[in-house]
Amino acid sequence: MNLALELYRSVTRYAAGRLVGGRIPGALAGPIAPLRLVNREQPRLHGPGWVRVRPLLSGICGSDLATLSGQSSLYFSPLVSMPFTPGHEIVGELADDVAADGDGGTLAAGTRVVVDPVLSCGPRGLPLCQWCASGQTSRCDHVTVGHLAPGLQTGYCADTGGGWSRMLAVHASQLHAVPDELSDERAVLVEPLACAVHAVRRARVQPGDAVLIVGAGTVGLFTLLALRALTQAGRITVVAKHGRQQALASDLEASDVVAPDRALKALRRATRAFLVKPERGGDYLLGGADVAFECTGGRSGLDMALRTVRAGGRVVLSGMPTSGADLTPLWYRELELIGAYASGDGRAVDGDPRHDFDVALDLVRAAPLDGMVGAVYPLTRWREALDHAFAAGKLGTLKVAFNPAME
């Protein structure tokens, strides 16, 4: 049997999660969570190219927490199938041999891999849509059809399982082999780092551009790392709420690290903008950053980004929207402002054919990421793990993960 955490449909618990939010510590990981620990059958393989993977570590993502707390948009409801096992940030080992996608080789059982979670045309056994053919699998139009149940990603699909389990099914096209020298603690960071790489590539940052990053959780810090590695950005200002986040942003070479209530004034000084004070509502800048990355998913973060970018500048929506105006279609379909969802290759963005995962694997080897995974839990302690993840910023933890093999 396969021990797994399973998220199930419950309208009452969804509503309770939205109502409680963060106001009652422990409730979202306790009595109102639509999550249960179950023993399921071993995952079924869905045709040629499918293989079983044993997760070694699987991260708890902000999008997972938004789903559990009832904060994710109902826009997603037709794009998932329940009950499903969450977990899309996965490093695992193959339980079977599988032909490597595209190069004619074989990945042997026992090989460590990271998983690109998008369930695009390839895993679904379909002819490639225009987006998948161009390498932009995050835009796939077919995530509800084919021989799989609906699911935009592994970790949101009833037929594949997810990383919060002891076994899941993955298609060869989703696999990226992990170098032997890379630890599991670093490898589990590859998927969120690949998403940050994708966002930075879409932002079209020019040499010398002033950049603002709103939020210094995993998304924000990895965006900073990708900006320094892949662009010639000038001054990068990071808005960080908690002390540990501020220290990590400095370590990753932010030019300025500021608390949210000091961000506008700091950016005004850095860019020589004019600060304008309306009769009602928040202050804003005339002038400001060339590019802003909104990495929190919250209304206040997007409001700050929109109010601090110069005329003609760009705002990249990197955090999954959870409140305020429903910008989920903008984010998920990568419309302008600029939406940045998941990952792909760079052919249509910057002419570089490398996949975002390959870039992320290179970056994660050398970057100062030791200690980013601050806590690891067995599945049986899932309530404690989720409590920790919900309070991670305050506790100084960047990433909380499950080790499904841990007792």
Side-chain angles (χ1 to χ4, degrees):
M1 298 297 287
N2 180 26
L3 189 67
L5 286 167
E6 182 179 84
L7 190 144
Y8 58 94
R9 190 181 304 280
S10 172
V11 175
T12 56
R13 294 192 179 212
Y14 175 87
R18 288 188 66 86
L19 181 64
V20 169
R23 290 175 290 178
I24 304 177
L28 292 174
I32 67 171
L35 197 66
R36 57 197 173 201
L37 188 64
V38 298
N39 273 306
R40 305 186 70 176
E41 297 293 332
Q42 290 289 325
R44 181 172 65 88
L45 301 183
H46 302 282
W50 282 86
V51 65
R52 295 172 301 159
V53 173
R54 297 186 190 93
L56 300 170
L57 287 177
S58 185
I60 300 174
C61 177
S63 60
D64 299 320
L65 300 178
T67 300
L68 287 168
S69 61
Q71 301 303 307
S72 59
S73 171
L74 291 175
Y75 178 89
F76 288 118
S77 59
L79 307 180
V80 302
S81 48
M82 291 187 173
F84 63 78
T85 295
H88 59 274
E89 300 176 356
I90 303 165
V91 55
E93 63 179 15
L94 298 180
D96 312 291
D97 296 343
V98 65
D101 189 62
D103 65 6
T106 298
L107 294 175
T111 300
R112 284 190 310 149
V113 293
V114 288
V115 177
D116 179 351
V118 176
L119 293 171
S120 54
C121 291
R124 292 181 173 278
L126 299 169
L128 300 186
C129 69
Q130 61 173 323
W131 303 118
C132 292
S134 70
Q136 299 178 85
T137 53
S138 63
R139 299 185 181 185
C140 179
D141 288 322
H142 294 156
V143 297
T144 62
V145 295
H147 59 221
L148 294 179
L152 69 166
Q153 292 188 356
T154 297
Y156 295 96
C157 176
D159 284 349
T160 63
W164 299 3
S165 69
R166 291 184 176 171
M167 192 78 76
L168 70 152
V170 180
H171 190 261
S173 63
Q174 299 176 267
L175 300 175
H176 298 264
V178 175
D180 290 341
E181 69 272 15
L182 203 63
S183 68
D184 292 341
E185 288 76 14
R186 283 183 175 252
V188 77
L189 302 175
V190 170
E191 192 277 338
L193 181 52
C195 295
V197 167
H198 183 65
V200 167
R201 284 172 136 180
R202 280 187 50 74
R204 307 188 309 277
V205 175
Q206 301 302 304
D209 273 356
V211 179
L212 175 70
I213 299 174
V214 183
T218 304
V219 177
L221 290 173
F222 284 177
T223 298
L224 171 59
L225 172 61
L227 279 166
R228 285 304 189 205
L230 303 177
T231 77
Q232 298 178 52
R235 198 169 198 89
I236 301 177
T237 300
V238 176
V239 180
K241 187 175 182 180
H242 303 291
R244 173 65 171 155
Q245 295 174 345
Q246 293 166 358
L248 288 168
S250 294
D251 291 345
L252 292 174
E253 301 183 23
S255 307
D256 301 294
V257 183
V258 296
D261 61 354
R262 300 182 62 83
L264 260 71
K265 290 183 179 179
L267 197 61
R268 176 187 63 79
R269 290 192 298 269
T271 62
R272 299 182 179 180
F274 292 97
L275 180 66
V276 179
K277 296 178 177 288
E279 290 182 6
R280 297 184 65 182
D283 298 348
Y284 60 92
L285 299 181
L286 296 178
D290 298 292
V291 182
F293 292 84
E294 201 300 296
C295 299
T296 70
R299 180 175 59 187
S300 62
L302 180 56
D303 188 57
M304 179 181 293
L306 293 171
R307 286 171 177 264
T308 52
V309 171
R310 65 166 174 81
R314 291 181 295 283
V315 174
V316 182
L317 198 63
S318 296
M320 188 182 82
T322 59
S323 63
D326 189 358
L327 298 176
T328 306
L330 173 83
W331 173 69
Y332 179 58
R333 302 305 303 188
E334 299 192 334
L335 309 173
E336 298 284 340
L337 307 171
I338 293 173
Y341 163 71
S343 61
D345 70 32
R347 281 176 286 170
V349 180
D350 58 13
D352 184 345
R354 290 184 301 164
H355 196 281
D356 295 323
F357 264 74
D358 295 326
V359 177
L361 278 164
D362 287 342
L363 293 180
V364 84
R365 285 187 181 95
L369 301 179
D370 290 338
M372 286 280 186
V373 179
V376 176
Y377 291 88
L379 295 174
T380 52
R381 292 170 57 195
W382 64 271
R383 296 184 189 278
E384 189 178 345
L386 293 177
D387 265 343
H388 193 158
F390 275 115
K394 295 178 182 178
L395 296 174
T397 305
L398 248 292
K399 178 61 63 179
V400 180
F402 286 111
N403 178 344
M406 184 185 295
E407 296 294 341

